[in-house]
Amino acid sequence: MRFSDAADAAKAKLRLEELAAVVPEIRSVEVAVDELATEVSWHLFLRTTHLDADDLRAYQAHPAHSEFGAWVRPLLASRAVVDYTAVS
């Protein structure tokens, strides 16, 4: 995620970490804030893991996730998403 104000990344990190305790479909969550602030840096990295695509959709539809999305959308300059199946 890239924020209009980079300081919002730390607030978003805390809120995203709280989702793991509330949304049962999250198997794991990793959230990191950029440390180097280079010209190609984005401000926040998020990786969640889910049992399957149905759990991902349930996470996306969960009210706590929807609430976070409503809060964060106006703060974002841009975001990128990559959904993939991990090979174990």
Side-chain angles (χ1 to χ4, degrees):
M1 296 177 200
R2 191 174 281 155
F3 290 84
S4 298
D5 179 352
D8 289 326
K11 296 174 209 165
K13 179 181 187 295
L14 293 174
R15 291 190 66 161
L16 286 164
E17 289 170 338
E18 291 171 352
L19 286 180
V22 178
V23 181
E25 292 82 9
I26 297 175
R27 293 183 68 197
S28 69
V29 63
E30 179 183 1
V31 189
V33 174
D34 179 63
E35 297 174 4
L36 300 181
T38 68
E39 68 179 52
V40 297
S41 294
W42 287 55
H43 301 125
L44 184 120
F45 164 81
L46 167 67
R47 178 174 48 201
T48 59
T49 60
H50 310 274
L51 182 62
D52 53 28
D54 289 336
D55 272 8
L56 171 61
R57 285 188 283 276
Y59 156 66
Q60 292 168 331
H62 193 282
H65 181 265
S66 297
E67 180 183 321
F68 172 79
W71 173 81
V72 80
R73 266 185 222 97
L75 305 175
L76 292 176
S78 57
R79 71 183 182 122
V81 176
V82 177
D83 293 316
Y84 65 96
T85 300
V87 179
S88 50

